[in-house]
Amino acid sequence: MKVRAPEAPKSFPAFVLLAFAVLWMALVILLPLVNVLAEAFKQGVAPYLSSIVQPDALSAIRLTLLVAAIAVPLNAVFGIAAAWCFTRFDFPLKGLLLSILDLPFTISPVISGIVWVLLFGAHGWFGAFLQANDIKIIYALPGLVIATILVTLPFVARELIPLMQDQGTDEEIAAVTLGASGWDVFFRVTLPNIKWALTYGVLLCTARAMGEFGAVSVVSGHIRGLTNTLPLHIEVLYNEYDSVGAFAAATLLAGLALVTLVLKSLLEWRFADELAAHRRH
Amino acid sequence: MTTDATRDAGAPPFVTEGYKPPKATHKARVLPGFRLSLGITITYLSLIVLIPLAALLARPWEHGLDGVWQAISDPRVVASLRLTFGTAFAAAVVNLFAGLVVAWVLTRYEFPGKSLLDALVDLPFALPTAVAGVSLCSMYAANGWIGSLFAPLGIKIAYTPLGIFVALIFVGLPFIVRSVQPVLAEFDAEVEEAAQTLGASPMQTAIRVILPSLLPALLTGFSLAFARAVGEYGSVIFIAGNMPFVSEITPLLIVIKLEEFDYAGAAAVAVAMLALSFLSLLVINGIQLLLSKRGRA
């Protein structure tokens, strides 16, 4: 089979399509990003800087990093375990488990938040028990962490499963035959083979964990300086008409998004063969 | 005819386009770690996904079937469901066309800045929804960059259903582009050349030869964009204005009920939204199945 190579647009319709695509992307996708910068620096650099270093903003940044630092490693370990069991073994109900794994991608982030309130909130299943023992989950750090874990659960597993499927088990079986232990096989054969795909999955997982809004907004309670992550901090400031403050915080997350995009493109360009997303096309 | 029959025999039903179910690569369990990895997987999925969702599904029934019906037939809930699903559908339709053009341009043409344009497609995936939300709201408000162009015409975008529609267009674009792009890139050039040799114009080739083979991928992208738009919260609530009966989306209504400690009502609306959204996906999958059957006949 022959595939058509891209060529410079020659005909009139080609130019119209190209112009439409470029204009559409500029107006619909790029402009909101540019607008973040314009709004943040509307009153100059000094107000921008002072709103980034105010204590509430700093504590929001700290909390965002802390939540991601707990949620991402857990989801990475789960992702590796899930990919290992889905691609290395056959067992009943595998398809069902795979569909459950994909659920967090299809349900609304708001639902990913309220399920925890239904479990651990004041009127939730375990609400009375938690209150009696003075354990706080909702409106506290644990709630933010579990909501983030639920939303970002599939990222690493979904990147590793197709790749490990394609790579097969020959190298690992050879290692076992030669007498290597299970952990030896994993650390010396599997991990080197999947390291870039793992990096890719962790990158997407981290970006989403730090930027998640809907799910954490339900469980956070919006306590300034205590349970406001960076996206929630933006909401609070915006609703208080502190536009510069809100957009200053937004530039940090927009920066994070741009770094993510650059790293993602670099990985896709440099290690295309070692990533699941780009192997098949 | 016979080749079709043999090919179909082993294929599981309802498999979506392009998805390969993982197969066991070796029959005997030569590799270690089955119990450990399966144990971690099942425990984690149960604790994080299954038990919480069970809590959601169990909750609405505490006031009986009547209570559930009352919660979801409330006119305010019905209005929000109509708004949510309607705007999600409209935005996905617009993205179907815009996304197809962007994917076409990215795979067919060579031009300066192409890789930049390609990377930009993923921006709505990468940009946190709250950032997109506040930025879109300020852009489309009456004094914003785009809102101020429409304000003199008497058209309000922010704080109306139109604003929700605009935000969902932003959110949904990458789903269509990323679904169509790989199929378009792999389209067999010989088929296209055959059409042209037989006298088809470039336009005819595009519409009658290439487009039909893109339909499954377009539908996949459509359903992904639609599902995402139905559940979308962060990028919508700022620009929506959130007026009950007019511009209040269902996810927000769920949050409001939760904040009023009406847990059963919130869960009932959430389950209704989930059910409707799975039903829509089922319909789209059905259309896809019909299309693939017709294509084979």
Side-chain angles (χ1 to χ4, degrees):
Chain A
M1 196 183 95
K2 188 168 77 167
V3 176
R4 197 179 153 124
E7 50 190 27
K10 277 177 281 199
S11 64
F12 178 68
F15 277 109
V16 172
L17 288 177
L18 180 59
F20 174 83
V22 170
L23 263 178
W24 186 269
M25 291 298 292
L27 283 178
V28 177
I29 308 295
L30 187 61
L31 206 57
L33 183 67
V34 179
N35 184 54
V36 171
L37 286 177
E39 292 278 353
F41 290 100
K42 213 173 201 170
Q43 292 163 23
V45 179
Y48 170 82
L49 288 177
S50 70
S51 35
I52 285 195
V53 295
Q54 57 163 303
D56 284 348
L58 290 179
S59 77
I61 296 172
R62 255 196 310 272
L63 184 62
T64 304
L65 293 174
L66 178 63
V67 169
I70 304 172
V72 175
L74 284 173
N75 277 341
V77 170
F78 161 75
I80 295 171
W84 183 266
C85 106
F86 282 129
T87 63
R88 296 315 184 231
F89 308 104
D90 211 0
F91 52 92
L93 299 183
K94 191 153 127 177
L96 183 72
L97 277 182
L98 272 168
S99 330
I100 295 172
L101 174 71
D102 279 336
L103 273 179
F105 275 167
T106 35
I107 61 178
S108 168
V110 167
I111 292 180
S112 302
I114 77 162
V115 290
W116 301 110
V117 180
L118 296 179
L119 279 178
F120 302 126
H123 303 280
W125 279 1
F126 302 107
F129 170 80
L130 293 174
Q131 228 154 26
N133 290 285
D134 205 23
I135 305 170
K136 286 208 73 146
I137 294 185
I138 301 303
Y139 305 149
L141 179 69
L144 296 172
V145 171
I146 47 181
T148 305
I149 289 180
L150 172 53
V151 171
T152 59
L153 181 136
F155 280 101
V156 175
R158 265 292 156 218
E159 177 60 29
L160 291 183
I161 289 172
L163 178 83
M164 286 171 66
Q165 192 64 46
D166 275 8
Q167 283 179 342
T169 53
D170 294 352
E171 289 181 33
E172 283 142 6
I173 289 174
V176 170
T177 321
L178 293 171
S181 75
W183 291 111
D184 267 348
V185 174
F186 176 73
F187 282 110
R188 290 170 181 234
V189 179
T190 313
L191 199 57
N193 278 339
I194 61 168
K195 60 176 186 286
W196 293 116
L198 184 63
T199 313
Y200 191 88
V202 166
L203 176 72
L204 298 186
C205 187
T206 311
R208 181 66 195 270
M210 292 190 184
E212 177 51 30
F213 177 74
V216 291
S217 124
V218 176
V219 296
S220 136
H222 297 89
I223 309 168
R224 289 186 84 147
L226 276 181
T227 62
N228 263 355
T229 61
L230 209 41
L232 300 173
H233 183 63
I234 296 175
E235 183 196 16
V236 169
L237 293 183
Y238 194 78
N239 288 340
E240 289 171 353
Y241 301 102
D242 179 0
S243 169
V244 170
F247 280 101
T251 57
L252 298 178
L253 285 177
L256 173 79
L258 286 180
V259 170
T260 308
L261 280 185
V262 168
L263 289 177
K264 184 172 162 295
S265 302
L266 272 179
L267 282 170
E268 282 165 8
W269 167 69
R270 179 71 182 75
F271 302 106
D273 289 347
E274 294 173 58
L275 297 177
H278 285 253
R279 278 169 76 87
R280 272 168 289 164
H281 33 94
Chain B
M1 212 39 216
T2 45
T3 52
D4 276 350
T6 44
R7 191 176 56 200
D8 285 347
F14 304 109
V15 173
T16 46
E17 195 72 18
Y19 170 72
K20 283 191 292 187
K23 282 176 290 187
T25 35
H26 210 264
K27 277 214 175 90
R29 279 176 195 147
V30 181
L31 291 172
F34 176 62
R35 281 193 203 179
L36 177 67
S37 63
L38 185 68
I40 293 177
T41 305
I42 289 182
T43 312
Y44 202 81
L45 282 179
S46 306
L47 288 178
I48 305 288
V49 185
L50 283 183
I51 294 176
L53 279 182
L56 176 72
L57 293 179
R59 195 74 199 213
W61 316 103
E62 59 190 36
H63 303 304
L65 209 57
D66 281 351
V68 174
W69 180 246
Q70 234 162 33
I72 58 174
S73 63
D74 173 12
R76 187 172 163 191
V77 173
V78 174
S80 84
L81 283 171
R82 193 179 298 141
L83 174 76
T84 305
F85 281 82
T87 46
F89 185 83
V93 169
V94 169
N95 272 329
L96 205 56
F97 292 98
L100 177 62
V101 173
V102 173
W104 177 273
V105 164
L106 284 174
T107 46
R108 284 306 179 110
Y109 305 134
E110 206 54 73
F111 53 91
K114 180 174 159 174
S115 41
L116 191 70
L117 196 71
D118 195 35
L120 205 58
V121 170
D122 284 328
L123 186 70
F125 280 159
L127 197 65
T129 54
V131 178
V134 292
S135 186
L136 288 167
C137 181
S138 86
M139 267 170 68
Y140 289 95
N143 57 356
W145 282 354
I146 296 186
S148 60
L149 302 178
F150 285 91
L153 307 173
I155 302 173
K156 270 186 75 180
I157 300 178
Y159 316 122
T160 70
L162 201 57
I164 303 174
F165 170 68
V166 169
L168 295 180
I169 288 178
F170 173 84
V171 168
L173 183 87
F175 292 97
I176 312 274
V177 179
R178 293 301 184 228
S179 305
V180 174
Q181 212 177 356
V183 184
L184 203 51
E186 299 230 309
F187 189 80
D188 192 346
E190 279 165 14
V191 174
E192 208 179 323
E193 280 162 15
Q196 271 159 10
T197 321
L198 293 170
S201 71
M203 188 74 100
Q204 279 174 324
T205 317
I207 291 174
R208 311 204 49 172
V209 178
I210 301 176
L211 201 59
S213 66
L214 293 181
L215 273 182
L218 277 170
L219 272 175
T220 304
F222 181 87
S223 62
L224 291 172
F226 177 74
R228 169 72 194 266
V230 165
E232 185 54 38
Y233 184 69
S235 36
V236 174
I237 53 159
F238 295 100
I239 200 171
N242 308 326
M243 291 227 308
F245 297 100
V246 179
S247 60
E248 186 179 57
I249 55 165
T250 311
L252 181 75
L253 193 55
I254 296 171
V255 174
I256 291 174
K257 282 185 181 291
L258 205 67
E259 278 167 359
E260 291 166 350
F261 295 104
D262 179 10
Y263 284 20
V269 178
V271 170
M273 185 175 89
L274 270 183
L276 272 176
S277 133
F278 279 121
L279 201 70
S280 324
L281 294 185
L282 215 63
V283 170
I284 299 174
N285 271 350
I287 298 174
Q288 233 169 5
L289 209 70
L290 272 179
L291 278 176
S292 66
K293 267 191 188 147
R294 213 183 57 183
R296 234 184 271 147

